[in-house]
Amino acid sequence: MGPVAMKALSVALLSFAALYATSASAQDREYCPERPGLDTPACTIAPGKISVETSIADWTRDDQPGSREDNILFGDTLVRVGVSDTIEARIGWTPFGHDRKRDSTGVDTVNGVGDVSLGMKANLLNPDGSGVSVSVLPFVTLPVGRSSIGAGDWGAGFLVPLTYELSDTVSLDLTPEIDAAVDQDGNGRHLAYSSTAGLAFKVAKDFTLTGEVQALRDNDPDQHATQALAALSLAWMANDDLQFDILGAAGLNDDTPDTRVYAGISRRF
């Protein structure tokens, strides 16, 4: 074999080794579920992997003068598929929801399915979430759900998740978001925007405690509102591919639902 052929073979072998190392590194990436919490982490799922993240039950209560509304979602699920080392495709759906509103006129109850969301997260820096990690996440929602469970029209949004590891046990999450949110009457869209910040603490080898705050401005034509929310969540990583979680959140002003509680499970395949 001549020198030119040997050089070409060496380059090919080195390229294959680099490609294999990159692939192996991606496959060895630690599982990074988006549950629980209000923030969206910047990490993406490794290529060829699938994450199924489901809320067993998600209850929100909103008390207003003269009325009370309870909304419960069952099986609210997000599926994330690793398409490349830095990109994941996403689909979300709520298979069943129950909404009950009680006021001076009586009780109104609605049961039905929720809307479908489609999105793509593209990581711009450190897809495994290490160090400083940044992503962009555009999404759309399709109005397949019933009123009170679904929004009633299509919507869209854009997030810029950012994660910064302050130490081996503490990380900071920031998630600014802007939406073309569906109007309250289910016909048309308006501007809504929010920002969420959180600190995650690894309190034990497999347990992570996260505290978060969120501020949201909703310019609905019927009524402009500013919401403020605080949340505390706990995640238990049972093994490398399985996580259980719980979350409790409280509204900080009159425009925000008073209470939200949920529990869920995430599994990587």
Side-chain angles (χ1 to χ4, degrees):
M1 183 179 294
V4 175
M6 285 290 294
K7 184 176 181 180
L9 179 60
S10 299
V11 170
L13 288 174
L14 287 173
S15 300
F16 176 79
L19 179 63
Y20 178 81
T22 301
S23 175
S25 176
Q27 296 301 318
D28 291 341
R29 187 182 306 171
E30 288 187 7
Y31 186 25
C32 178
E34 290 197 358
R35 298 182 56 87
L38 309 177
D39 271 298
T40 299
C43 55
T44 53
I45 294 296
K49 295 292 186 177
I50 299 174
S51 176
V52 180
E53 306 177 20
T54 300
S55 179
I56 299 170
D58 185 339
W59 169 59
T60 300
R61 171 177 170 174
D62 187 14
D63 287 315
Q64 296 294 333
S67 71
R68 169 178 168 175
E69 183 173 7
D70 293 275
N71 184 278
I72 306 176
L73 306 178
F74 297 97
D76 186 27
T77 299
L78 173 67
V79 178
R80 305 161 60 203
V81 180
V83 177
S84 73
D85 189 46
T86 59
I87 295 176
E88 67 179 39
R90 308 150 59 86
I91 181 170
W93 183 53
T94 303
F96 183 77
H98 169 83
D99 189 83
R100 181 178 184 270
K101 187 172 183 179
R102 182 179 61 193
D103 57 24
S104 59
T105 64
V107 177
D108 184 26
T109 301
V110 175
N111 297 314
V113 301
D115 293 338
V116 169
S117 66
L118 302 174
M120 181 193 74
K121 186 197 287 185
N123 184 275
L124 308 178
L125 183 66
N126 294 328
D128 62 351
S130 62
V132 177
S133 183
V134 182
S135 292
V136 293
L137 171 52
F139 70 90
V140 296
T141 57
L142 308 179
V144 302
R146 187 174 178 183
S147 176
S148 297
I149 308 301
D153 203 345
W154 69 268
F158 188 83
L159 294 77
V160 184
L162 184 149
T163 302
Y164 177 34
E165 288 188 335
L166 300 173
S167 69
D168 292 340
T169 58
V170 182
S171 63
L172 170 68
D173 288 301
L174 299 172
T175 311
E177 178 177 354
I178 186 168
D179 298 325
V182 179
D183 292 349
Q184 183 66 32
D185 63 7
N187 185 20
R189 282 151 297 281
H190 62 272
L191 175 66
Y193 49 93
S194 67
S195 185
T196 307
L199 280 174
F201 302 88
K202 190 172 285 293
V203 294
K205 179 183 177 182
D206 301 318
F207 290 87
T208 301
L209 181 69
T210 303
E212 298 166 295
V213 291
Q214 182 183 69
L216 182 149
R217 177 64 178 176
D218 190 339
N219 293 331
D220 190 277
D222 287 345
Q223 181 181 3
H224 292 195
T226 299
Q227 297 185 353
L229 192 67
L232 189 66
S233 60
L234 180 67
W236 170 43
M237 192 66 71
N239 59 46
D240 290 344
D241 298 304
L242 179 65
Q243 176 187 275
F244 298 92
D245 64 73
I246 55 174
L247 174 141
L252 302 179
N253 64 4
D254 292 337
D255 290 332
T256 310
D258 296 87
T259 306
R260 182 184 180 191
V261 178
Y262 70 52
I265 182 173
S266 301
R267 178 74 164 87
R268 181 173 63 174
F269 300 90

